[in-house]
Amino acid sequence: MKIGIIGNGLMGSAIGYRLLERGFQIYLYNRTKERSNALVKKGAIRMDRPSMIGKECNFVIISVTDGQAVKEILFGDNGLVNCDNKLLTVVDTSTVLPEDSIYCASLMKKKGYAIIQAPIMGGPDATKKGDVITIVSGNKKISEKCRKILTNFSKKIFYVGNQDGVANYIKLGLNLNIALIAISLSESLVFIKKSKTDPSIFLEILNSTYFKTGLSEIKGPKMIKNNFEPKFFLKNMLKDIQLLNECAKHNGASLSFSSLAEQYYQMAANRGYSELDYTAILKLFNEFNNLPPSHQIK
Ligand SMILES: NC(=O)c1ccc[n+]([C@@H]2O[C@H](COP(=O)([O-])OP(=O)(O)OC[C@H]3O[C@@H](n4cnc5c(N)ncnc54)[C@H](OP(=O)(O)O)[C@@H]3O)[C@@H](O)[C@H]2O)c1
């Protein structure tokens, strides 16, 4: 079966690897052509425009940064809606504003195309292992049809209702949780380092308690070694907190820590950490405290 993947960044590429491995024929489009080179070498076919992907494939996954990018992919001059393939179903896995998803879904429906939202919890490594959680909203029948594809890289799929955009609210709420856990772990590590105590012992103990998190277990050991190889860019975490705060303004939620988190991730971005993993928020807290980047216990 042919599947199109539009957006071949960290996540789109990981989805591509997984689906190639599972025997699907993969068609790719990425704005910056070179970024899909690795997948092309593995056997995926590159196309020059989103509309060409829509002509070739009845099932297309989008994984791009934000709502503006999704709108360009769908409705731009060379966008998917120009594919003239009424069998096309689009699955948007990007983390975007719910409002943008609602807009895209309603315009797609008007133009006679099917689309659902399917934001993902879990990074590229988990995607390659088929180990992510996917949250789906939109038309129930279409969602059921898409489940057969999503199940190839998701260990669990939550269908959260036929109202477009609902999955996006849940995804933003989940990401705020991660952003705050990264800050909380960073402050604990600063405290431990300032106390001239070994952060690796601290982490080992934390990770043997009920209060461990996926972040403390998987990212913690890398954080204390100053390893911020990007799996989820800090700039994208900042984008997600900005989206959440924008939503909160509209729905009347007063979220003091998410406002603070936005400021801290913005400061980290201003210091040039955008292209690092979001856990590089620790670098910022280290700097506030005149601590060297990685732990050195004398
Ligand atoms: N990484 C994760 O752990 C993770 C997990 C769950 C969800 N997500 C979400 O999944 C989406 C993709 O994330 P990622 O980590 O793959 O990010 P990424 O590596 O930064 O890739 C972003 C992708 O979006 C494309 N893009 C951005 N603006 C565009 C535009 N105006 N027109 C066309 N394409 C555009 C980029 O194309 P270029 O290469 O040309 O810039 C690239 O393919 C984001 O919404 C992110 O929040 C990420």
Side-chain angles (χ1 to χ4, degrees):
M1 182 183 173
K2 296 175 179 177
I3 298 180
I5 302 177
I6 299 184
N8 310 143
L10 294 174
M11 279 307 271
S13 295
I15 295 170
Y17 278 114
R18 177 72 180 176
L19 295 179
L20 268 176
E21 222 177 63
R22 292 253 152 163
F24 292 94
Q25 236 179 307
I26 301 300
Y27 288 74
L28 303 172
Y29 169 81
N30 197 62
R31 181 181 58 177
T32 311
K33 213 171 160 183
E34 302 70 44
R35 232 174 151 190
S36 46
N37 282 352
L39 276 176
V40 171
K41 271 193 199 141
K42 296 252 171 210
I45 298 158
R46 180 163 37 214
M47 309 245 98
D48 289 335
R49 294 186 282 280
S51 56
M52 289 169 74
I53 300 243
K55 230 182 228 351
E56 203 62 49
C57 309
N58 291 342
F59 190 90
V60 175
I61 295 172
I62 300 181
S63 174
V64 291
T65 308
D66 54 16
Q68 190 48 43
V70 175
K71 287 176 194 166
E72 279 170 39
I73 297 294
L74 294 173
F75 310 118
D77 286 345
N78 298 309
L80 274 173
V81 293
N82 300 306
C83 71
D84 209 20
N85 170 13
K86 294 296 176 191
L87 296 176
L88 171 68
T89 295
V90 179
V91 175
D92 184 13
T93 65
S94 320
T95 306
V96 301
L97 266 185
E99 263 170 46
D100 284 335
S101 278
I102 294 166
Y103 170 85
C104 290
S106 93
L107 194 50
M108 283 294 275
K109 277 172 208 163
K110 265 190 208 148
K111 292 183 182 286
Y113 294 103
I115 186 167
I116 59 162
Q117 303 86 46
I120 294 171
M121 274 306 284
D125 292 345
T127 305
K128 285 181 186 170
K129 290 187 223 148
D131 209 20
V132 296
I133 303 290
T134 302
I135 311 145
V136 174
S137 60
N139 181 288
K140 193 167 186 188
K141 248 191 186 164
I142 299 166
S143 300
E144 275 312 312
K145 200 172 91 180
C146 295
R147 182 177 283 271
K148 294 187 190 96
I149 308 291
L150 297 175
T151 202
N152 284 285
F153 56 86
S154 314
K155 69 174 169 195
K156 195 157 186 179
I157 298 167
F158 285 89
Y159 177 66
V160 294
N162 63 1
Q163 218 179 312
D164 291 305
V166 176
N168 305 95
Y169 283 114
I170 294 175
K171 170 64 182 166
L172 290 178
L174 291 165
N175 270 26
L176 172 61
N177 195 262
I178 303 170
L180 292 177
I181 292 173
I183 288 178
S184 146
L185 182 59
S186 295
E187 287 221 331
S188 293
L189 289 170
V190 164
F191 168 74
I192 291 295
K193 286 202 261 183
K194 279 290 200 191
S195 315
K196 308 241 177 306
T197 302
D198 189 343
S200 57
I201 291 171
F202 165 80
L203 263 186
E204 192 184 337
I205 295 172
L206 171 62
N207 287 334
S208 55
T209 70
Y210 174 75
F211 303 99
K212 69 183 175 187
T213 58
L215 195 131
S216 66
E217 282 188 309
I218 296 168
K219 303 266 192 182
K222 294 181 189 166
M223 288 166 77
I224 61 173
K225 286 187 189 131
N226 202 30
N227 174 353
F228 303 114
E229 184 203 338
K231 300 290 179 184
F232 179 35
F233 288 117
L234 187 137
K235 64 180 176 189
N236 285 342
M237 179 59 96
L238 171 60
K239 175 254 316 177
D240 291 351
I241 307 170
Q242 287 167 336
L243 296 182
L244 176 125
N245 283 331
E246 200 177 325
C247 284
K249 235 184 260 165
H250 291 294
N251 70 16
S254 167
L255 307 175
S256 42
F257 285 102
S258 68
S259 307
L260 266 179
E262 182 174 336
Q263 290 178 42
Y264 284 127
Y265 282 93
Q266 182 66 66
M267 277 185 244
N270 293 347
R271 289 190 183 208
Y273 306 154
S274 284
E275 305 290 328
L276 296 178
D277 195 68
Y278 68 95
T279 47
I281 196 71
L282 174 62
K283 272 168 84 68
L284 185 75
F285 286 92
N286 280 339
E287 286 162 14
F288 287 162
N289 288 279
N290 291 324
L291 283 166
S294 54
H295 77 96
Q296 285 149 358
I297 301 292
K298 286 186 187 136

Coordinates of all heavy atoms in Angstrom, one line a residue, residues 7-12 29-32 35 63-66 68-69 72-73 93-96 120-124 171 175 231-233 235-236 239-240, ligand 1:
G7 N 6.3 16.4 5.3 CA 7.1 16.9 6.4 C 8.0 15.8 6.9 O 7.5 14.8 7.4
N8 N 9.3 15.9 6.6 CA 10.2 14.9 6.9 C 11.3 15.3 7.9 O 12.5 15.2 7.7 CB 10.9 14.3 5.6 CG 9.9 14.0 4.5 OD1 10.2 14.2 3.3 ND2 8.7 13.5 4.9
G9 N 10.8 16.0 8.9 CA 11.6 16.4 10.0 C 11.9 15.2 10.9 O 11.8 14.0 10.5
L10 N 12.1 15.5 12.2 CA 12.4 14.4 13.1 C 11.3 13.3 13.2 O 11.5 12.1 13.1 CB 12.7 14.9 14.5 CG 13.9 15.8 14.7 CD1 14.0 16.4 16.1 CD2 15.2 15.0 14.5
M11 N 10.1 13.8 13.3 CA 8.9 12.9 13.5 C 8.5 12.3 12.1 O 8.3 11.1 12.0 CB 7.8 13.6 14.1 CG 7.9 13.7 15.6 SD 8.1 12.1 16.4 CE 6.5 11.6 16.7
G12 N 8.4 13.1 11.1 CA 7.9 12.6 9.8 C 8.9 11.5 9.3 O 8.5 10.5 8.7
Y29 N 7.3 14.2 0.7 CA 7.5 15.6 0.3 C 8.1 16.4 1.5 O 7.5 16.3 2.6 CB 6.3 16.3 -0.2 CG 6.5 17.8 -0.3 CD1 7.1 18.3 -1.5 CD2 6.1 18.7 0.7 CE1 7.4 19.7 -1.6 CE2 6.4 20.0 0.6 CZ 7.0 20.5 -0.5 OH 7.3 21.9 -0.6
N30 N 9.1 17.1 1.3 CA 9.6 18.0 2.4 C 10.0 19.3 1.7 O 10.6 19.3 0.6 CB 10.8 17.4 3.1 CG 11.0 18.1 4.5 OD1 10.2 18.1 5.3 ND2 12.2 18.8 4.6
R31 N 9.7 20.4 2.4 CA 10.0 21.7 1.8 C 11.5 21.8 1.5 O 11.9 22.2 0.4 CB 9.5 22.8 2.8 CG 9.8 24.2 2.4 CD 9.3 25.2 3.4 NE 10.0 25.0 4.7 CZ 9.9 25.7 5.8 NH1 9.0 26.7 5.8 NH2 10.5 25.5 6.9
T32 N 12.3 21.4 2.5 CA 13.7 21.4 2.2 C 14.1 20.0 1.8 O 14.1 19.0 2.6 CB 14.5 21.7 3.5 OG1 14.0 22.9 4.1 CG2 16.0 21.9 3.3
R35 N 16.4 17.1 3.3 CA 16.0 16.5 4.6 C 15.4 15.1 4.5 O 15.3 14.4 5.4 CB 15.1 17.4 5.4 CG 15.6 17.7 6.8 CD 14.9 18.7 7.5 NE 15.0 18.4 8.9 CZ 14.3 19.0 9.9 NH1 13.4 19.9 9.5 NH2 14.4 18.6 11.1
S63 N 3.3 15.9 9.0 CA 4.0 16.1 10.2 C 4.8 17.4 10.0 O 6.0 17.3 9.7 CB 4.9 14.9 10.5 OG 5.7 15.2 11.7
V64 N 4.2 18.5 10.3 CA 5.0 19.8 10.1 C 4.8 20.6 11.4 O 4.1 20.2 12.3 CB 4.5 20.6 8.9 CG1 4.9 19.9 7.6 CG2 3.0 20.8 8.9
T65 N 5.5 21.7 11.4 CA 5.7 22.5 12.7 C 4.4 23.0 13.2 O 4.1 22.7 14.4 CB 6.7 23.7 12.4 OG1 7.8 23.2 11.8 CG2 7.0 24.4 13.7
D66 N 3.7 23.8 12.4 CA 2.5 24.5 13.0 C 1.3 24.6 12.1 O 1.4 24.1 10.9 CB 3.0 25.9 13.5 CG 3.6 26.6 12.4 OD1 3.5 26.3 11.2 OD2 4.3 27.6 12.7
Q68 N 0.2 27.1 10.4 CA 0.5 27.8 9.1 C 1.1 26.9 8.1 O 0.7 26.9 6.9 CB 1.5 29.0 9.4 CG 1.7 30.0 8.3 CD 0.3 30.5 7.7 OE1 -0.6 30.8 8.4 NE2 0.3 30.5 6.4
A69 N 2.0 26.0 8.6 CA 2.6 25.0 7.7 C 1.5 24.1 7.1 O 1.5 23.7 5.9 CB 3.7 24.3 8.4
E72 N -0.5 25.6 4.4 CA 0.3 25.7 3.2 C 0.3 24.4 2.5 O 0.1 24.3 1.2 CB 1.7 26.2 3.4 CG 1.8 27.7 3.5 CD 3.1 28.2 4.0 OE1 4.1 27.6 3.6 OE2 3.1 29.1 4.9
I73 N 0.5 23.3 3.2 CA 0.5 22.0 2.7 C -0.8 21.6 2.1 O -0.9 21.0 1.0 CB 0.9 20.9 3.8 CG1 2.3 21.2 4.3 CG2 0.7 19.5 3.3 CD1 3.4 21.0 3.4
T93 N -0.7 14.8 12.0 CA -0.1 14.4 13.3 C 0.6 15.6 13.9 O 1.2 15.5 15.0 CB 0.9 13.3 13.1 OG1 2.0 13.8 12.3 CG2 0.3 12.1 12.4
S94 N 0.6 16.8 13.2 CA 1.3 18.0 13.7 C 0.7 18.5 15.0 O -0.5 18.3 15.2 CB 1.3 19.1 12.7 OG 1.5 18.6 11.4
T95 N 1.5 19.1 15.9 CA 0.9 19.7 17.1 C 0.6 21.2 16.7 O 1.5 22.0 16.5 CB 2.0 19.7 18.2 OG1 2.4 18.4 18.4 CG2 1.3 20.2 19.5
V96 N -0.7 21.4 16.6 CA -1.1 22.8 16.2 C -2.3 23.3 17.1 O -2.8 22.5 17.9 CB -1.6 22.7 14.7 CG1 -0.5 22.2 13.8 CG2 -2.9 21.8 14.6
I120 N 0.7 13.1 18.2 CA 1.4 12.0 18.8 C 2.1 12.3 20.1 O 2.7 13.4 20.2 CB 2.5 11.5 17.7 CG1 1.8 11.0 16.5 CG2 3.4 10.5 18.3 CD1 2.7 10.7 15.3
M121 N 2.1 11.4 21.0 CA 2.9 11.5 22.3 C 4.0 10.5 22.2 O 3.8 9.3 22.1 CB 2.0 11.1 23.5 CG 1.2 12.3 24.0 SD 2.2 13.7 24.4 CE 2.9 13.3 25.9
G122 N 5.2 11.0 22.3 CA 6.4 10.1 22.1 C 7.3 10.7 21.0 O 6.7 11.3 20.1
G123 N 8.6 10.5 21.1 CA 9.5 11.1 20.1 C 9.8 10.1 18.9 O 9.2 9.1 18.8
P124 N 10.8 10.6 18.1 CA 11.2 9.8 17.0 C 11.7 8.4 17.3 O 11.4 7.4 16.6 CB 12.3 10.6 16.3 CG 12.6 11.8 17.2 CD 11.5 11.9 18.2
K171 N -3.3 17.1 23.4 CA -1.9 17.1 23.1 C -1.2 18.3 23.7 O -0.1 18.2 24.3 CB -1.7 17.1 21.6 CG -0.3 17.3 21.1 CD 0.7 16.2 21.5 CE 2.1 16.6 21.1 NZ 3.1 15.7 21.7
N175 N 1.8 18.3 26.6 CA 3.1 18.8 26.4 C 3.5 19.9 27.4 O 4.6 20.0 27.8 CB 3.2 19.5 25.0 CG 3.7 18.4 24.0 OD1 3.6 17.3 24.2 ND2 4.4 18.9 22.9
K231 N 15.8 15.4 20.0 CA 14.8 14.4 19.6 C 13.5 15.2 19.5 O 12.6 14.8 18.8 CB 14.6 13.4 20.7 CG 15.9 12.6 20.9 CD 16.3 11.7 19.8 CE 17.5 10.9 20.0 NZ 17.9 10.1 18.9
F232 N 13.4 16.3 20.2 CA 12.3 17.2 20.1 C 12.9 18.6 20.3 O 13.3 18.9 21.4 CB 11.2 16.9 21.2 CG 10.0 17.8 21.1 CD1 9.5 18.3 20.0 CD2 9.3 18.1 22.3 CE1 8.4 19.2 19.9 CE2 8.2 19.0 22.3 CZ 7.7 19.5 21.1
F233 N 12.9 19.4 19.3 CA 13.6 20.7 19.3 C 13.1 21.6 20.4 O 11.8 21.7 20.5 CB 13.6 21.4 18.0 CG 14.4 20.8 16.9 CD1 13.8 20.2 15.8 CD2 15.8 20.7 17.0 CE1 14.5 19.7 14.7 CE2 16.5 20.2 16.0 CZ 15.9 19.6 14.8
K235 N 12.9 24.7 20.2 CA 12.0 25.7 19.6 C 10.6 25.2 19.4 O 9.6 25.9 19.4 CB 12.6 26.1 18.2 CG 12.7 25.0 17.2 CD 13.2 25.4 15.8 CE 13.3 24.2 14.9 NZ 14.1 24.5 13.7
N236 N 10.4 23.9 19.2 CA 9.1 23.3 19.0 C 8.4 23.2 20.4 O 7.2 23.3 20.4 CB 9.1 22.0 18.3 CG 9.4 22.2 16.8 OD1 9.2 23.3 16.3 ND2 9.8 21.1 16.1
K239 N 7.1 26.6 21.0 CA 6.0 26.8 20.1 C 4.7 26.2 20.8 O 3.7 26.8 20.8 CB 6.2 26.1 18.7 CG 5.1 26.1 17.7 CD 4.4 24.8 17.5 CE 5.2 23.5 17.4 NZ 4.4 22.3 17.2
D240 N 4.8 25.0 21.3 CA 3.7 24.3 21.9 C 3.2 25.1 23.2 O 2.0 25.2 23.4 CB 4.0 22.9 22.3 CG 4.2 22.0 21.0 OD1 3.9 22.5 19.9 OD2 4.6 20.9 21.1
Ligands
LIG1 N1 10.0 15.5 17.8 C1 9.1 15.0 18.7 O1 9.4 14.4 19.7 C2 7.6 15.3 18.5 C3 6.7 14.5 19.2 C4 5.3 14.6 19.0 C5 4.9 15.7 18.1 N2 5.8 16.5 17.5 C6 5.2 17.5 16.6 O2 5.3 17.0 15.3 C7 5.5 18.0 14.3 C8 6.9 17.8 13.6 O3 7.9 17.8 14.6 P1 9.4 17.4 14.3 O4 10.0 17.1 15.6 O5 9.5 16.5 13.2 O6 9.9 18.9 13.9 P2 11.1 19.3 12.9 O7 12.1 18.3 12.9 O8 11.4 20.7 13.2 O9 10.3 19.3 11.4 C9 9.4 20.2 11.1 C10 8.9 19.9 9.7 O10 7.9 20.9 9.3 C11 8.3 21.4 8.0 N3 7.8 22.8 7.9 C12 7.8 23.8 8.8 N4 7.2 24.9 8.3 C13 6.8 24.6 7.0 C14 6.1 25.3 6.0 N5 5.7 26.6 6.2 N6 5.8 24.6 4.9 C15 6.1 23.4 4.7 N7 6.8 22.6 5.6 C16 7.1 23.2 6.8 C17 9.8 21.4 8.0 O11 10.3 21.5 6.7 P3 11.8 22.0 6.5 O12 12.6 20.8 6.7 O13 11.8 22.5 5.1 O14 12.0 23.1 7.5 C18 10.0 20.0 8.6 O15 9.7 19.0 7.7 C19 5.5 19.3 15.2 O16 4.2 19.8 15.2 C20 5.9 18.8 16.6 O17 5.5 19.7 17.6 C21 7.1 16.3 17.6

